[in-house]
Amino acid sequence: MKHTTLLLSAIAALLLAGCNAKTPVTTDLAKNNIIPKPVSVTAEGGSFVLTAKSDIHVMPGGPEELASIAGYLADKLNPSTGLGLEVVSDGKKPGRGDIMLMLSDDDAELGDEGYELVITDRLLTVTANKPAGLFHGIQTIRQLLPHEVEADTVQPGPWVIPTGTIRDWPSYGHRGEMQDVARHFFGPEDVKRFIDHLALYKMNVLHMHLSDDQGWRIEIKSWPNLTAHGAKTEVGGGEGGYFTQEEYSDIVKYAAERYITIIPEIDMPGHTNAALSSYPELNKGGKAPELYTGIKVGFSTLDTRSEITYKFVDDVVREIAALTPGKYFHIGGDESHSTKIEDYIYFVNRVQEIVTSHGKSVIGWDEIAHATLKPDAIVQYWARSANALKGISQGAKVLMSPCTYAYTDMKYDSTSIFGLSWAAYIEVDRAYSWDPDTLVPGISRENIIGVEAPLWAETISTFREAEYLIFPRLPGYAEIGWTPAALRSWDEYRERLASHGRRMQIMDINFYRSPLVDWETTEE
Ligand code: TNX
């Protein structure tokens, strides 16, 4: 009967795999290389095999979103497996080799983003309370399959996953990266590729640094010169660029389909030369400076005592907030060295009111704690723990981005071709080996909303260069945000990361071959 044939072909596939597959096949689920490391894994010792008969079933009567998530999985698996998996939502009973996606809201432990994978030799079932959990479960499926699953052409397989159960949920609700599109402009295709990278590692936030001294990168219809003039250049004098509102909305949608929230940042009152150059009336003295293409910080400031400044901020926040479904608006607030402290405090207090009036909560770099924070404000700790503690004493929560560990624009070591080094050299082990809950005395678990790794773009002008700084540190930041500290150790992590070398290679990710990792890669 059919089952015997299938079993035999599965065994044959396993044997074949033993002979010539590049990724060794295991039947021990505990030997997985999943990043971030799952909370709990129970191995059964058998194997589940995807075959030409496999399909992706979604619970009948469930929300539309389930079919979209299943479609996303099919789109990931079909090019490399060639198995033509289809989405089935008509309630037909799943058969051998099928994947089943289900929502069930009675598993409190899993929370809003957790999932359970039950893998038997017949069926792979993903269950979650919310669609976001199913989406993260799918990333685990991708990582359980051989690396070649990430190829965009048909590969021989076999497509085997060891049997057992994975129960998994994140430590923190906010796990993100920041992309600076101001120092050098990166267009929609680059941002989408970044979003795809975040999704694979179960990150759920992309913070976009949309304005700085060197460029204004988002269309504001009521202040058109911000982009007509202020987007025209970038560090080094290149041509710059900006997102139209349609392009920005398209990015927001693309991210949302991957359960990633976009946080837009307009950095102010410092880091504003591009805006000041576009509109003389925003300057004290009314004279517009030239555009700027260097990499100094701290020389620009909006005129904090002029009403036109607040009209400007109100228009900008209103237009961007209307395109942004996420809860937060990031007001920057860092390194305003040309703004007097009393003017800075006055400005941040007023801008918080504006952001709140447009229905968003404020995030700002740690300096904003000098002002009187709104109860729901978030302080992004990057440099000064005293600022973060000041925020906490006002009841604010903290987002952890310590520059000496989490700055993705720092060089790995003195030989790195890209990156800065003012904060530290951040090798892959250093990027991984810190714990947000214990890093700064006085900042503890209950104060922290999560972890974010910023990628500043002074030294990088193409996305391949960006990838060199992002990878392989991003998977480590993702794990710090997801996996409980008790399960994290560099010695064990570096083995898992080594296996992702091959995966990154197949995905054509330009990653830094850190000498601290015995990379599993093929000759290049
Ligand atoms: C500090 S981090 C900055 C950025 C620079 C970065 C370079 C922060 C809030 N401000 O303006 O791009 O250093 O590493």
Side-chain angles (χ1 to χ4, degrees):
M1 96 147 251
K2 252 172 51 196
H3 280 173
T4 338
T5 330
L6 276 171
L7 191 67
L8 284 176
S9 59
I11 293 169
L14 278 171
L15 289 175
L16 205 75
C19 307
N20 54 21
K22 292 184 199 95
T23 309
V25 169
T26 170
T27 54
D28 184 356
L29 188 62
K31 292 216 176 77
N32 69 74
N33 288 308
I34 301 162
I35 299 175
K37 189 180 174 68
V39 173
S40 107
V41 177
T42 315
E44 299 279 359
S47 42
F48 166 87
V49 189
L50 284 176
T51 69
K53 292 220 163 86
S54 300
D55 282 317
I56 305 170
H57 290 243
V58 298
M59 182 177 85
E64 244 328 271
E65 228 172 320
L66 291 198
S68 312
I69 296 172
Y72 168 96
L73 179 58
D75 290 346
K76 286 283 170 222
L77 303 186
N78 284 335
S80 55
T81 64
L83 296 175
L85 283 84
E86 285 175 13
V87 177
V88 180
S89 54
D90 60 7
K92 228 172 95 211
K93 195 168 177 286
R96 176 172 285 268
D98 282 339
I99 296 173
M100 173 81 188
L101 306 183
M102 293 186 27
L103 285 179
S104 138
D105 57 7
D106 57 3
D107 196 335
E109 203 174 34
L110 300 181
D112 287 348
E113 291 193 280
Y115 64 91
E116 181 184 70
L117 284 190
V118 177
I119 310 152
T120 69
D121 54 1
R122 278 188 58 78
L123 196 64
L124 197 172
T125 310
V126 195
T127 313
N129 294 324
K130 298 270 168 65
L134 292 178
F135 187 78
H136 297 320
I138 278 171
Q139 307 312 319
T140 297
I141 296 175
R142 282 172 74 186
Q143 293 195 19
L144 284 170
L145 284 162
H147 302 318
E148 290 73 19
V149 77
E150 299 298 340
D152 49 20
T153 54
V154 177
Q155 305 295 308
W159 307 106
V160 182
I161 297 180
T163 58
T165 299
I166 296 180
R167 288 179 56 77
D168 196 18
W169 59 87
S171 282
Y172 294 102
H174 184 127
R175 306 173 305 280
E177 283 262 346
M178 187 208 80
Q179 186 172 21
D180 171 8
V181 292
R183 269 52 178 274
H184 283 96
F185 181 64
F186 294 85
E189 290 316 308
D190 292 339
V191 177
K192 287 180 179 176
R193 186 162 161 89
F194 200 174
I195 289 170
D196 286 338
H197 293 340
L198 297 176
L200 175 59
Y201 292 102
K202 303 187 178 83
M203 283 184 156
N204 62 359
V205 172
L206 178 65
H207 162 184
M208 295 177 73
H209 183 78
L210 291 167
S211 69
D212 213 303
D213 290 318
Q214 298 83 351
W216 185 281
R217 306 299 181 204
I218 183 163
E219 176 191 21
I220 301 296
K221 296 199 195 274
S222 52
W223 295 73
N225 215 34
L226 288 170
T227 47
H229 171 76
K232 278 226 164 91
T233 193
E234 57 187 9
V235 167
E239 68 180 16
Y242 66 93
F243 302 108
T244 63
Q245 294 202 349
E246 288 68 26
E247 286 169 334
Y248 175 78
S249 294
D250 182 54
I251 289 169
V252 166
K253 177 166 170 281
Y254 188 88
E257 285 162 1
R258 286 151 186 78
Y259 298 89
I260 290 170
T261 303
I262 298 290
I263 298 182
E265 177 187 351
I266 295 298
D267 201 351
M268 42 196 177
H271 288 280
T272 41
N273 189 76
L276 296 168
S277 178
S278 306
Y279 285 99
E281 59 268 42
L282 298 177
N283 294 268
K284 205 175 197 156
K287 191 172 172 304
E290 295 290 305
L291 288 171
Y292 180 70
T293 59
I295 65 166
K296 286 202 202 92
V297 297
F299 61 88
S300 56
T301 183
L302 292 169
D303 182 356
T304 58
R305 300 289 172 171
S306 149
E307 280 314 300
I308 188 76
T309 293
Y310 297 98
K311 166 86 177 104
F312 164 76
V313 173
D314 188 65
D315 286 337
V316 168
V317 175
R318 176 174 42 77
E319 289 197 30
I320 297 175
L323 307 171
T324 307
K327 179 172 173 215
Y328 293 112
F329 190 98
H330 200 304
I331 62 170
D334 57 314
E335 299 173 320
S336 291
H337 305 319
S338 307
T339 322
K340 285 200 199 104
I341 184 72
E342 60 274 22
D343 292 345
Y344 178 86
I345 291 170
Y346 174 78
F347 178 85
V348 171
N349 286 344
R350 280 195 66 174
V351 170
Q352 283 188 100
E353 294 298 336
I354 293 172
V355 169
T356 313
S357 78
H358 294 296
K360 300 294 173 196
S361 300
V362 166
I363 303 196
W365 298 106
D366 60 48
E367 290 95 323
I368 67 160
H370 290 295
T372 308
L373 296 179
K374 294 259 178 203
D376 60 347
I378 304 292
V379 171
Q380 184 163 10
Y381 166 62
W382 68 281
R384 298 246 153 139
S385 50
N387 289 343
L389 294 170
K390 202 170 188 154
I392 289 171
S393 72
Q394 298 190 55
K397 295 261 190 284
V398 178
L399 176 58
M400 296 296 283
S401 302
C403 59
T404 50
Y405 293 91
Y407 263 31
T408 313
D409 67 316
M410 290 297 123
K411 292 184 176 203
Y412 295 96
D413 65 18
S414 62
T415 68
S416 294
I417 24 182
F418 301 107
L420 298 170
S421 56
W422 64 266
Y425 291 131
I426 306 183
E427 244 300 354
V428 187
D429 57 345
R430 180 175 178 88
Y432 179 80
S433 308
W434 59 284
D435 179 6
D437 292 354
T438 56
L439 187 69
V440 181
I443 307 182
S444 51
R445 180 87 206 177
E446 67 272 17
N447 311 121
I448 298 174
I449 66 158
V451 177
E452 196 181 285
L455 177 66
W456 300 100
E458 285 93 334
T459 66
I460 47 175
S461 59
T462 67
F463 197 67
R464 278 194 83 69
E465 293 168 2
E467 278 184 340
Y468 171 87
L469 290 175
I470 299 165
F471 284 96
R473 290 184 281 210
L474 179 150
Y477 298 132
E479 183 150 310
I480 292 172
W482 182 282
T483 308
L487 298 181
R488 297 200 306 265
S489 98
W490 163 252
D491 285 336
E492 185 270 339
Y493 171 73
R494 69 190 273 278
E495 310 270 320
R496 273 181 293 129
L497 184 59
S499 99
H500 282 244
R502 181 71 194 124
R503 193 166 287 259
M504 291 189 277
Q505 208 175 23
I506 292 170
M507 295 175 79
D508 195 27
I509 291 175
N510 181 31
F511 69 100
Y512 161 62
R513 269 62 169 173
S514 166
L516 304 181
V517 178
D518 299 324
W519 295 108
E520 243 176 62
T521 46
T522 54
E523 292 286 316
E524 284 166 291

